[in-house]
Amino acid sequence: MPVGGLIPRATDEAADLVVRNAKIHTGDPRLPQAEAIAIRDGVITTVGGDKDVADQVGPATRVVDALGRRMIPGLNDAHLHVIRGGLNYVLELRWDGVRSLRQGLAMLREQAARTPKGQWVRVVGGWSVEQFAERRLPTVAELNAAAPDTPVFVLHLYQAAILNRAAIKAIGYDKNTPDPRGGQIMRGRDGEPTGMLLAAPSALILYSTLAKAPGLDEEHREASTRHFLRELNRFGLTSAIDAAGGFQNFPDNYETVTELARKGQLSLRIAYHLFPQTAGQEIEDLTRWIGMVRPEDGDEWLRLNGAGENLTWAAADFENFAEPRPEHAPDYEVEFEKAVRLLMENGWGFRLHATYDETIRRDLAVFEKLAAEGLFPGGNRWLFDHAETVSADSLDRIVALGGAMSVQNRLSFQGEAFVRRYGIGAAADAPPIRAMLGRGLTVAAGTDATRVSSYNPWVALHWLITGRTVGDLTIHPPHNRVDRETALEMFTTAGAALTGEQDLKGVLRPGFLGDLTVLSEDYFAVPDEEIPHIEALLTVVGGRIVYGAREYEGIDEAMPPVTPEWSPVAHFGGYQAAPEPGFRGARQAELLGEAVAESELHRQWRARRGLVSEHDSPGFDPCFSL
């Protein structure tokens, strides 16, 4: 973008990229605000004003005018299942951001019509019934009507999955199929599966059923992953810590990101973890991996960060707040201690999924035993993830053992379920973010996308700041909310600390990696309710423009087309963005029209059953009869 007053000069010190005329929040206390930034060879060389970058503009320097918009350091999601998400992204119909079930079912019906024989329509996380106007799940009958012949799998959090008739047939579930441990196949009067699968409380029934759907070949996995990373860049993400997860095997399922890193085609920096997949052979898996790779192997684009988020399956608790807290085996510490000891002896850090304080206390007892031997933490980074019900005493013990925390906005999507089970009082400190920060703990923030929460980090930032769910329920009172600058630090510098990269990224400072984003709205100025609707207009990773929109559309790196052609992403995109603020009134009128149409459908249904006369006015309401 040509800019008057900046004259290119032939120099050996020319920047590759200059972004000027911005309201820059640097995150650097030594220079909190700036207007321009210069990047050379992927690293920031100058942060200041126009005059400070002028002598670094050479003939080949790309100069971008931010047009007075807000710039911040690139966001870092500290708990994102990015590798698994990328392998499947183009196959998934995303209901993230969809505001009504009616709209979601219309999308599903349209996608079923274009999905070829042998493939599925799958809605896999990132949404909650609480975001829908109808406040309910789709029914099996609605899925059957929308897709009578195409298998459909709809995942709701880690609570349930709804399958249509064609999916049950494709999977082969019948009256003789046993319920897996911790899961339930709902059955009708005839004993046949109805199409509802329940996590009771284990989500393994949901994982394993989804794993039966057809996948992509390697060529399509690479393209799918690149498009998913571009979708994350759309929201200003420049880094993520991959938390591994179920059905993510090493090294097989890591080959795609490894190949993209080799080709220089990653647009997001990834630090990854390794998660034993098979109950009973966790120690063998960890032992094998210790002989293959080391933490911090790789570079600033792709690197190993340690083990987790599970070390042993028996120690895992499940966050299905629609079900009671799971009870662990009384002796899970035996194998768990072996795993932690093995990691400590070999210089491996770890992260640990732990929803409930009951689990955290038992884990801490193992760590304290090893600490008494002088083995824990041994200079290794370790942290707890989630920790919705962690107690003050447990936090003190975590501080004493040199741990850290990573919190996610799972209660943005499950807050209502948590309140129904444990009460609004317990929800007020689920998790106790301010108590963690007050103890000086490193507290990084993430989303836990893609199967629970949405990957949109601005939904998570909104939750940190307001304590409100996507269903607009306030669960965190003021004492457990954070200000906007603190929330941003949790999505930048704190995440960098979890990977030992706090001297490389997270702030905009000379010598740091050139990762930044220019926002559609000023994060520090918009009303709270507008925060979830912020997107990036320009995202830069290592000086590369990896995403551009509006005035910057077309200056980012070229991408291959979305394939296969029938992909839901090719037609609907990913996250369903809210309309621009200026168009909210028009959208409100549109939603009102949809509600009226749905009301008429209800009237017709009642008329067919003789509950009302066929000729009754659709506007009749007995509440107003005289």
Side-chain angles (χ1 to χ4, degrees):
M1 187 175 293
V3 180
L6 290 180
I7 302 171
R9 303 170 184 174
T11 171
D12 293 336
E13 301 300 319
D16 300 314
L17 176 68
V18 166
V19 185
R20 62 170 296 276
N21 190 22
K23 289 191 294 186
I24 304 178
H25 173 84
T26 66
D28 183 355
R30 293 180 289 185
L31 182 67
Q33 306 294 327
E35 297 173 351
I37 192 166
I39 301 171
R40 183 174 65 249
D41 295 330
V43 176
I44 298 169
T45 57
T46 302
V47 179
D50 277 359
K51 61 182 177 59
D52 300 307
V53 300
D55 62 356
Q56 295 184 50
V57 178
T61 301
R62 172 175 275 181
V63 180
V64 177
D65 190 334
L67 301 174
R69 292 192 173 100
R70 175 64 67 185
M71 178 197 296
I72 61 172
L75 300 181
N76 184 347
D77 190 322
H79 187 119
L80 176 65
H81 297 278
V82 59
I83 293 175
R84 185 177 67 193
L87 295 176
N88 299 286
Y89 176 62
V90 299
L91 294 175
E92 295 174 355
L93 176 66
R94 304 303 307 181
W95 281 356
D96 307 48
V98 172
R99 302 307 300 170
S100 74
L101 177 58
R102 179 185 178 87
Q103 180 187 348
L105 287 172
M107 294 168 67
L108 194 150
R109 187 179 302 108
E110 183 181 338
Q111 182 58 38
R114 70 167 62 92
T115 299
K117 186 176 178 60
Q119 286 290 344
W120 294 22
V121 177
R122 56 198 100 184
V123 179
V124 187
W127 63 281
S128 167
V129 294
E130 308 300 342
Q131 77 193 44
F132 288 161
E134 300 90 340
R135 291 292 204 274
R136 68 172 179 85
L137 291 170
T139 66
V140 174
E142 286 171 325
L143 298 190
N144 286 333
D149 303 311
T150 303
V152 173
F153 177 100
V154 177
L155 177 70
H156 183 236
L157 308 171
Y158 281 152
Q159 295 178 1
I162 310 104
L163 284 67
N164 70 345
R165 188 183 306 110
I168 295 171
K169 181 179 179 181
I171 294 167
Y173 286 166
D174 59 25
K175 64 171 60 178
N176 298 314
T177 304
D179 287 346
R181 183 178 179 183
Q184 184 176 2
I185 301 171
M186 297 296 290
R187 304 172 194 275
R189 289 182 293 273
D190 58 0
E192 295 290 348
T194 64
M196 288 291 297
L197 307 179
L198 299 180
S202 170
L204 289 177
I205 185 174
L206 312 179
Y207 292 148
S208 58
T209 302
L210 180 59
K212 299 177 188 296
L216 296 167
D217 59 28
E218 180 55 32
E219 179 183 357
H220 285 104
R221 283 196 293 268
E222 285 192 19
S224 177
T225 297
R226 289 188 66 188
H227 280 284
F228 184 48
L229 301 187
R230 176 65 64 94
E231 174 76 350
L232 298 175
N233 299 149
R234 167 189 166 193
F235 294 100
L237 281 166
T238 58
S239 291
I241 308 177
D242 185 87
F247 292 85
Q248 183 173 310
N249 293 291
F250 182 81
D252 298 354
N253 295 133
Y254 292 71
E255 289 176 353
T256 298
V257 289
T258 301
E259 183 61 22
L260 290 176
R262 190 177 297 118
K263 294 176 180 178
Q265 292 179 342
L266 291 178
S267 64
L268 186 85
R269 304 185 192 279
I270 301 172
Y272 62 88
H273 287 254
L274 302 184
F275 179 137
Q277 294 296 305
T278 306
Q281 71 173 52
E282 297 96 334
I283 304 303
E284 289 83 352
D285 284 344
L286 292 170
T287 301
R288 184 173 69 258
W289 297 337
I290 286 169
M292 294 171 63
V293 287
R294 297 281 305 168
E296 301 185 6
D297 277 359
D299 57 22
E300 68 267 20
W301 285 99
L302 183 66
R303 66 206 301 268
L304 172 64
N305 198 48
E309 63 181 292
N310 273 0
L311 302 184
T312 61
W313 279 98
D317 54 15
F318 297 98
E319 69 284 3
N320 181 1
F321 299 123
E323 293 282 337
R325 177 179 60 84
E327 295 293 336
H328 287 308
D331 61 348
Y332 84 71
E333 288 89 345
V334 174
E335 287 301 303
F336 181 70
E337 180 183 331
K338 289 179 184 178
V340 178
R341 185 181 295 275
L342 176 66
L343 295 171
M344 294 298 101
E345 289 174 345
N346 288 277
W348 276 57
F350 62 87
R351 68 189 309 155
L352 202 58
H353 168 110
T355 301
Y356 301 98
D357 191 56
E358 289 81 356
T359 306
I360 292 169
R361 290 200 306 266
R362 292 177 66 175
D363 294 348
L364 286 169
V366 172
F367 304 159
E368 288 163 345
K369 176 182 177 181
L370 297 178
E373 300 177 23
L375 189 61
F376 190 92
N380 302 303
R381 292 187 301 273
W382 73 276
L383 65 127
F384 277 117
D385 278 304
H386 315 312
E388 276 85 359
T389 71
V390 65
S391 65
D393 177 67
S394 292
L395 289 177
D396 292 338
R397 294 165 71 187
I398 293 166
V399 171
L401 290 167
M405 306 298 297
S406 177
V407 299
Q408 299 77 40
N409 65 313
R410 303 193 304 184
L411 291 197
S412 285
F413 297 85
Q414 302 182 80
E416 288 82 356
F418 190 97
V419 168
R420 284 191 291 270
R421 180 160 296 279
Y422 298 108
I424 194 66
D429 290 302
I433 299 165
R434 288 279 290 274
M436 295 173 184
L437 292 167
R439 285 168 168 77
L441 285 163
T442 295
V443 185
T447 61
D448 202 9
T450 59
R451 293 183 179 176
V452 178
S453 304
S454 170
Y455 51 74
N456 182 348
W458 299 101
V459 176
L461 284 157
H462 174 261
W463 172 76
L464 289 169
I465 294 160
T466 69
R468 299 186 76 82
T469 71
V470 296
D472 210 29
L473 173 68
T474 299
I475 56 172
H476 287 172
H479 79 260
N480 198 31
R481 303 175 201 163
V482 299
D483 60 56
R484 297 190 190 198
E485 188 166 351
T486 300
L488 186 60
E489 289 171 354
M490 293 170 70
F491 257 100
T492 53
T493 55
L498 294 190
T499 57
E501 297 173 285
Q502 61 271 23
D503 296 326
L504 285 176
K505 61 185 180 181
V507 299
L508 300 178
R509 176 191 297 170
F512 276 55
L513 296 171
D515 302 350
L516 59 90
T517 184
V518 176
L519 303 178
S520 59
E521 306 292 338
D522 188 345
Y523 165 67
F524 292 103
V526 296
D528 287 346
E529 62 269 19
E530 294 294 337
I531 292 173
H533 309 304
I534 293 174
E535 295 190 17
L537 297 184
L538 185 81
T539 300
V540 175
V541 187
R544 293 164 44 198
I545 298 177
V546 297
Y547 179 80
R550 295 191 199 169
E551 294 88 351
Y552 313 110
E553 185 174 352
I555 71 170
D556 50 2
E557 297 175 344
M559 288 283 287
V562 176
T563 56
E565 291 183 359
W566 55 266
S567 162
V569 175
H571 295 268
F572 298 109
Y575 189 92
Q576 300 297 299
E580 296 296 322
F583 294 98
R584 295 281 161 79
R587 179 56 180 150
Q588 192 172 21
E590 182 183 337
L591 289 173
L592 181 60
E594 290 179 2
V596 170
E598 188 151 353
S599 177
E600 170 60 12
L601 290 177
H602 281 296
R603 189 197 67 78
Q604 293 174 8
W605 181 89
R606 290 167 63 82
R608 286 196 298 271
R609 285 157 178 78
L611 300 174
V612 297
S613 168
E614 184 65 45
H615 304 292
D616 278 349
S617 166
F620 174 77
D621 187 332
C623 292
F624 296 97
S625 60
L626 297 177

